[in-house]
Amino acid sequence: MMMDPANSTLGRMLLDEITPVVMVLRTPLVEESSQKNQLSFIQMLSPFCNFNNIDVPVRTASDQPYRLKKFKLRLFYASDIRQPNVEVAKERLNQVITDAGEKDLSNLCSEPLQIESVLNSSQNEFLPSWFQYFNKELVRTVSFSEHEAFDHPVSCLLAVSSRDEDPISKFVDLFNTNKLPSLLNDGAMDPKILKHFVLVHDGEEVSLERATKTLAEMRSTFGANCCHLLCINSSKDGSEEHENLWAAYKTDSSHGQQLRFFLSSDDLDELKKFVQDLSSKHIIPHMEQKIRVLNQQVSATRKGFRNQIKNLWWRKGKDDAPENPAGPTYTFSSIESQIRVLGDYAFMLHDYELALSNYRLLSTDYKLDKAWKHYAGVQEMMGLTYFMLDQSRKDGEYCMENAFTTYLKIGSSGQRNATRCGLWWVEMLKARDQYKEAASVYFRISGEEPLHSAVMLEQASYCYLFSTPPMLRKYGFHLVLSGDLYKKCDQIKHAIRTYKGALSVFKGTTWRHIRDHVHFHIGKWYGLLGIFDVAIKNMLEVLACGHQSKTTQELFLKDFLQIIQQTGKTYEVPKLQLPVINIPSVKVVYQDHRTYASQAAIHVKESLWRSLEEDMIPTLSSKSNWLELQSKILPKKFKESNICVAGEAIGISIEFKNPLQIPVSLSGVSLICEHSTAASEPNANNSIGDQNGETSNKSATSGNFTSDTSSFTLSEADVALGEGETVLVQLTVTPREEGTLKIVGIRWKLSGSLAGFCTFDSDIVRKKVMKGNRKSKRSTMDNLKFLVIKSLPKLEGFIHHLPETVYVGDLRCITLELKNPSRIPVRKLKMKVSPPRFLQIGHKEDLEVQFPACLERKSSRQSSLRSKTDKVSDDIFLFPEDTAIADGTPISWPLWLRAAAPGKISLYLSVYYEMGDISSVMTYRTLRLHFNIEVLPSLDVSIQISPRPSRLREFLVRMDVVNRSSSKGFQVHQLSSVGNEWEISLLEPTKVPPSDFLLAGQAISWFLKLKNCRSVTDQESASSLCPPEKADVNLLSGSKTLFDLYSSPLSEFHHYERVHQRISDQEHEDTVDFILVSRSQSEENKRANVFSHHICHRSVRTSSPIWWIMDGPQTVKHDFKEPFCAITLKMIVHNSSDDVVSIRCNASDSAVNISSSGNASAASGNEVGWHDLSLSNDIKTASDTPGARVVKPMSSDTVPPFIWSASSSTHYTLEPLSSRETPMEICVFSPGTFDLSNYSLHWSLSSQSDQGGDESRASSGTCQGHPFYITVLQQD
Amino acid sequence: MIVCVAVVGHQNNPLYIQSFTEADDALKLHHIVHCSLDVVDERVNNPKKSSPTLNETFLGLLYPTENYKVYGYLTNTKVKLILVTTDLDVRDADVRNFFRKFHAAYVDAVSNPFHVPGKKITSRTFAERVSTIVKSFGLSSAG
C-alpha cells in the first residue's frame, strides 16, 4: 500500500532540500563571463547539479558498499550562506502570494465550481500550484541555522576567471575569512572545509594557452586534484540554443532572440562533467570519509555501556549549571555537533539507518541538556528518517509532533522552525493519506502571521476536501477563515478565491446565515476590485435577507447600493429579489366586449355579471356566429388569445412584498410588453435578455429603456414599501395599434439606481384572470397575450346624484349618464339592473318631472296601476329604437332607487350596446356599472291585524312605528292599503307628536280600521265599488296631499317588495299589503325625501274560514202579559275561504247547553265530527224540523229566560267568498238583558278541496257565538 | 457556559439554532455547528468499535476547537442535536442529561400538529424550554 517514500512529495522535497551545500566564491569577472548568457555563475552550473542516476558506490560506516542513485548539490554564494533576514523573507513570501493572486486573475470572475466537480477533480489540478512554491520558500526561511548540519557547506568552490590578473592571489583572496559566512567563523562548523579551485576560462577573451598556464600554476600551488579548468563561452557567434536547460531561471528575463548565448555544446558537456566530477570524485568521497571518521570517534566515546554510563553521569552533573535561556551552545568540535554532522551526512548519503541511530543518540543528549532547539531539530530529522525508512509510522509522527511542539515551546524564535517542521509533517501525513490529520497540522501551523495563516488554512481546507470521506463543511469553514485572513492582509483576490470555493459548499444548503455572509463578502470584495457585475450578482443573493437582523439588512442594502452607485449607471438585474413579487397574485383586467365603468365593477364576480346579462347578450347560437365571424378575421392561433381594444388600457395588479425590516422605495414600476403588428409573427424566442439590442422593425418591446413604445403606452408607478409591507400595485398598458400584445413581465427601479426585472413566464405562475373562466384551461402565458383589435366605441357610464348613504325606504331618482366618446355610434341599447328591489329603470319623462311632487295624487286619477306588462319581459329595458350615442354627447336616463333594506347594498347595472360599425370584429359590448350604497335603518313598521268581532269583514289594525335611525326624524305621512278591495281609516285621530316629526328612537302607534269592501256577491265589479281614496289614510294632520301609490315607480317597487316578502308556502287571498309613506327633510339640499315602507302579505285570516254576525234589535219592549215575546234576528255568515264550506248552526238554551249537546250533535248526522254515522239518515230529517228542538228544553224543570225558536239548528253550504243570511228567532219569557252567545257554528270544508294538501288548516271546527246582548223591557 | 445549541434536520438543514452569548458571534457559531456535522457524519458512518451499543444516541465530544467544545446527539430520526460549550471540563453525564431533556423538548415541539416537518422550529414554547434547560445545565455543572 505504501509507495516508495523517495517518490512521495515529502521524499522528493527532502531529496531536494537536504543535500550537500557547496559554497561558491567567485571573482566578479567570473560572474561577468557567465552573465553574457544572462545567467549567474551558479545558475549556469545548477542544471548539472541534479543527478537522477549518479550511480556512485558509497561505503559509510558499515563495510557493505551501496550505490547512490539520486544525488543533488546545492550551490550557494558565500554571501547567501546565512540565516535569511526575517523581514526580507517575509517580504518575499508576501510577494509570492501577491504574484500568485495576480496570476489567478483569469479565474477571478469565473463561476464558483459545483461541489460535485470539485470532488471529482484530482488533487493536482485543483490545488493552486503556487502552494508548493510557497511552502518551499517558507521552508527556506529557516535554512542555514546553527543547530542543523545539513545546510552547512560540505565544500567550497572557488572560481577565478582566466581574465583575472594574478589568479593565484585571487584564489587566496577569495577565501578571506572576513567574507566567509558567520557559520564558519563563529565556530558552528568546521572552518577546515574541502576546497575546489576552478579557473573559468572565457574562450572569447583570453587565449587557452594562458589559461592552461594558469591551471598548471594552480595545480602546483593548491594541489593537483582540486584544481580544474572550466571553459565557457567558446561559441563565437552566440547563436547556440540551449534554452530548455535554464528555462526555470529564465522566466523573468525577456525572451531573447536578441539575447546571445555563447555556451557551445562542448561547453555544456564540460560543465556537466565538471559538476559530476566534483560530486563523485570529491564531495561524496569526502563525505564518506568524514562519516567514517566521525563514526569511529562516536563509537569510541559514546558507544558501549561504559561510555553511556559516563555520559549520563557527566550530563547529570551539568544540571547544576545555570541554565542558558538559549540552551547550551555547541561548537563544531563538541561531540554533539559531530554526531549531528555524522547523522546529517549519513542522511544526505541516504544511509538512513546510520543517521537514525546517531539522531537517537543525540536526541537524548540534547534532551538532558535541555537544548530544546537542537532537540527539536534532531527529533524532526528522526521523524524524516523514519519516513524515508518507511517504518514505525507512529514513531515518525510522534517525533514530528514532538519536534513541532518543542519548537513552539521555545517561543517566537522557534516559530518558523515549527512551521517548517509542520510542513514536513503535513507532507508525511498526506503521503499516508491521513488528510484529516494533515489538516489539523496545517491548522496548527497557522500562527500569528495572518498571511501565512491564511495560506495554511487554505491548505488545511483542501486537506479536508481530499480526506475520505470528504469533510466539505470543514473545507468550507476553513476556506472562510482563510479568506478572512487574506482580506485582512489586503489579498482580496485570494480572499475572493477562497470564498468562492466556500460558496460551492454553501450554495445548496439551507444555512442561510453562512451563505449570506459568503455572498455578501464576495460581492463586497469584487466591488473593491471594481468588478461590479460579479459583485452585484453576489450581492443580489443576499438582498432578500428577511431572516437577518435589521442591522445586517441595513448593512447589506447600504453596501449594495454603494456598489451600484460606484458603477455610475443604472444596473439591470433580471430576477431581482427585492422586493418579492407575488406572481400568483397577478390579476389581469382587460376589456373585450365586457367593459367596466369603474374599478369597483371589475372586482365583481364574473358569474354575477353573467347571470345579469344572461338574457341580454346574444344567445349561444348567435354567440357562436360571432365567434365564427371572428375566426374568419383572425388567424387561427390567436383564437385563444384574449381580446382587447386598441386605446383601452389593460390593467395588471400585482403584489410587491418587502421582505426586509427596512423601508424600500421603488420607482418607475411598469410593465414589460411586447407588441407586434397583426401581420408579423411574434418572435417566440424572444428572451428578455437579448431584447435590448433587438430592433425588429415590426415588433417593439419595452424590455429596454430606450425602445420605441409608440405602439403602446405604459403607466409608471412609484411605490414606497414599509417594513415588511405588502403593496398591491396597479399598472396599465394601453395598446395603440392593432396586433398582438404580450405582457412579458414587470420592471422597477430600486432606490433609483437598480433596475429589476421579473418575467411572468415561469411555470409557477398560477394566475387568475379576473375575466372569468372562459379559457381557464389555458396556460398563463396565453392569458397574458392579447389580441389587439381596432379601436371600438366604448360607452362610459356614470350615475349622477347617487347618495352614499340613504335611509331605509328612501325613494329617489338618480340619473344614469351614458357617453360615447367615439365617433362611431352605438345603438340597440339594452339595460338591466339588479337588484330590482332597490333599483328600477324609470321612464324618459321622469327626468323632467319634479320629485316628489310627481308622486302626489293628481286631482283626477288616471288609470291606476300600471301593469308590469308594460315593461319588457324579464326586466330587460330596451332603450328607444332611435337611441344612438356618439361624439361624446351624453344621454341621460332616470333610475329609481329605493333603499329597501338596511345594510351595505351593491347595485349592478349592465348596459348592452351594439356597434354602429358592422365591420368591426366585435359586434356588441356591455358596460358594467357597480355601485355600493349604505342603507341606514329608519322607520320600523309593524302591523297587527285582528278581526273586529262586531263587524263583518272588518279588522282592527294596529300600526307601530319606531324610528330606528340614530339621529334622523321622520314625518309619517300616509298609510295606504294596497288593492281595491280594502278600505282603511283611522279609528280615532291619533295624537301626532309635536312638530309632526317622529324623532330618533321614538315610537308611535296608530289604530286603524280596515274593511274589506269586496262585494259579497259580485267579485268582478269589486274594484269599482271601492273609491280609491278610501285606501289611503293621511296620518299627517293638516296635510292634504296624498301620494299615489299606483304611480311608477312605487308600484314596481311594491311588486318586488311583495315578491321579496312572500311567505314561503303560498299566497293567500286574504292578505293585505300596506305602504307607509313618510318624509323627511334632508339637510343638504332642503329637498323633501320620500320614504316608502312596504308591509306585504299581512294575513287577515283567522282560524276559521267563516265570518258571521248576528243582527237584530238591541232593545225590545214587550208586554209580558203575552206569554212570550218572539224576537226575530238574522245571522249573516260569510265564507272567506276559497272552498265550499258547509255550516251548521246550533242554538241551545243556556241551561241545557251541555245536556242537550249530545243530542244536538247526534242530530246533525252528516257532519264530519264525532258522531254516530248509523243514525244520520233518520235524524237528518228531524233536524230540519224546527219544532223538534224547541220541545226538548221545555221538558226541563227550570225554564230558561229565553229559548231559541224557529230554526235553531240549520245546515247549509256556502260557496267560496259568498254570504248568506239566516233568520233566527228567540222567544223571551221575561224581561231582562240576555246574552245570545249560546249558539255555536260548526263549519266544515267540503271534501272537494281536500286535495289542496293544506294540512295546516283545519278541515272543520266549531265557533262559539259572539256575544250579542238584547234587552227586553216590560211594555207599559 | 453553554454558548449555543442547535437542532439540525436529517438533511443537515438547520432547524433551530440559538446562541446564548452577548457577543455578535452568530456567524461563528453557525460555522461551528455546521462543521461539527462533518464529524457527526463521520461518527455515524464509521462507528467506533469501542462504542458500547449501536443504539447509542449520544455522540460525545465532536469537535474540540480552541475555545469551544462541541457535543453531539443523534436521534433515531437522524436529527442532530448539537451543544457548544465553553466549559473545559464537562462531565459526560451532565451532557447526556442535557441532551435527554433537549431531545424531549424537541419531540414535543415537532409533535405540534402545526409544525411542518423539515421546517424551522419557530415555537416560542420550545425556545423558552430550551433556554430553561440551558440555564439548568449551567447550574448543575457549577454545583
Side-chain angles (χ1 to χ4, degrees), chain A residues 615-751:
Chain A
D615 306 319
M616 199 161 58
I617 58 174
T619 55
L620 259 178
S621 60
S622 66
K623 199 172 172 183
S624 69
N625 284 338
W626 170 73
L627 270 177
E628 270 170 34
L629 175 67
Q630 190 186 359
S631 61
K632 266 178 228 157
I633 297 168
L634 305 171
K636 216 167 196 167
K637 62 178 294 191
F638 297 132
K639 234 200 291 190
E640 290 294 281
S641 297
N642 300 316
I643 294 173
C644 70
V645 178
E648 291 174 20
I650 299 167
I652 297 256
S653 65
I654 188 162
E655 265 179 28
F656 279 67
K657 185 172 187 295
N658 179 8
L660 304 183
Q661 292 166 37
I662 39 181
V664 164
S665 79
L666 307 177
S667 58
V669 182
S670 67
L671 295 169
I672 306 170
C673 298
E674 266 176 24
H675 184 273
S676 51
T677 53
S680 73
E681 291 282 297
N683 188 354
N685 300 328
N686 256 1
S687 70
I688 281 299
D690 54 34
Q691 272 170 15
N692 293 346
E694 196 169 319
T695 49
S696 162
N697 46 2
K698 291 228 168 173
S699 79
T701 69
S702 65
N704 48 356
F705 293 103
T706 55
S707 118
D708 167 37
T709 54
S710 63
S711 55
F712 54 87
T713 48
L714 297 165
S715 73
E716 288 207 344
D718 294 344
V719 185
L721 286 167
E723 302 165 19
E725 200 182 358
T726 304
V727 169
L728 195 71
V729 181
Q730 312 276 356
L731 298 167
T732 62
V733 52
T734 312
R736 295 255 165 264
E737 292 169 9
E738 288 173 68
T740 52
L741 180 78
K742 199 163 128 191
I743 299 175
V744 179
I746 190 166
R747 68 157 175 254
W748 65 93
K749 251 180 172 179
L750 178 64
S751 300

Side-chain angles (χ1 to χ4, degrees), chain A residues 296-459:
Chain A
Q296 269 181 2
Q297 253 177 2
V298 170
S299 298
T301 54
R302 299 298 309 281
K303 296 275 166 76
F305 183 69
R306 209 169 65 115
N307 283 331
Q308 279 186 19
I309 296 292
K310 204 171 86 186
N311 180 43
L312 213 63
W313 176 79
W314 177 67
R315 289 193 193 268
K316 270 260 155 58
K318 281 206 329 193
D319 274 355
D320 307 331
E323 205 169 306
N324 187 347
T329 49
Y330 301 92
T331 56
F332 68 93
S333 53
S334 67
I335 185 69
E336 289 87 357
S337 294
Q338 286 179 347
I339 299 173
R340 173 78 209 213
V341 169
L342 175 58
D344 283 350
Y345 276 24
F347 192 95
M348 286 191 279
L349 290 183
H350 304 186
D351 189 352
Y352 299 115
E353 300 282 357
L354 181 65
L356 185 60
S357 70
N358 281 293
Y359 288 141
R360 275 202 195 118
L361 192 66
L362 194 54
S363 81
T364 51
D365 288 356
Y366 283 143
K367 195 173 185 181
L368 285 170
D369 284 355
K370 296 198 172 62
W372 295 122
K373 192 169 181 181
H374 292 75
Y375 172 70
V378 172
Q379 285 285 323
E380 197 178 357
M381 287 314 289
M382 276 170 73
L384 297 178
T385 319
Y386 276 125
F387 175 77
M388 294 310 280
L389 285 170
D390 192 21
Q391 64 185 33
S392 59
R393 294 182 185 186
K394 274 255 166 61
D395 288 348
E397 277 168 41
Y398 173 77
C399 287
M400 292 315 279
E401 168 137 36
N402 204 358
F404 185 78
T405 48
T406 311
Y407 273 131
L408 284 181
K409 207 163 64 182
I410 60 176
S412 59
S413 66
Q415 177 70 48
R416 277 169 304 131
N417 283 99
T419 305
R420 183 191 65 181
C421 173
L423 287 173
W424 280 339
W425 186 10
V426 161
E427 291 303 330
M428 188 187 287
L429 292 168
K430 275 190 190 171
R432 291 162 180 172
D433 281 334
Q434 288 171 296
Y435 280 99
K436 208 162 42 134
E437 288 78 5
S440 67
V441 174
Y442 269 129
F443 191 80
R444 288 168 72 178
I445 296 173
S446 65
E448 283 108 48
E449 184 64 42
L451 189 54
H452 297 180
S453 303
V455 183
M456 292 307 150
L457 286 172
E458 194 183 349
Q459 297 191 66

Side-chain angles (χ1 to χ4, degrees), chain A residues 436 473-474 477 510-511 517, chain B residues 12-13 34-35 38 42:
Chain A
K436 208 162 42 134
R473 301 181 189 91
K474 290 201 173 185
F477 180 41
T510 44
W511 294 78
H517 166 86
Chain B
N12 290 334
N13 47 327
H34 189 236
C35 281
D38 267 339
E42 197 183 23

Side-chain angles (χ1 to χ4, degrees), chain A residues 483 486-487 491-500 525:
Chain A
Y486 276 129
K487 174 65 188 49
Q491 298 284 352
I492 293 174
K493 287 165 188 167
H494 285 293
I496 289 174
R497 185 169 47 80
T498 51
Y499 264 56
K500 252 164 56 182
W525 294 336

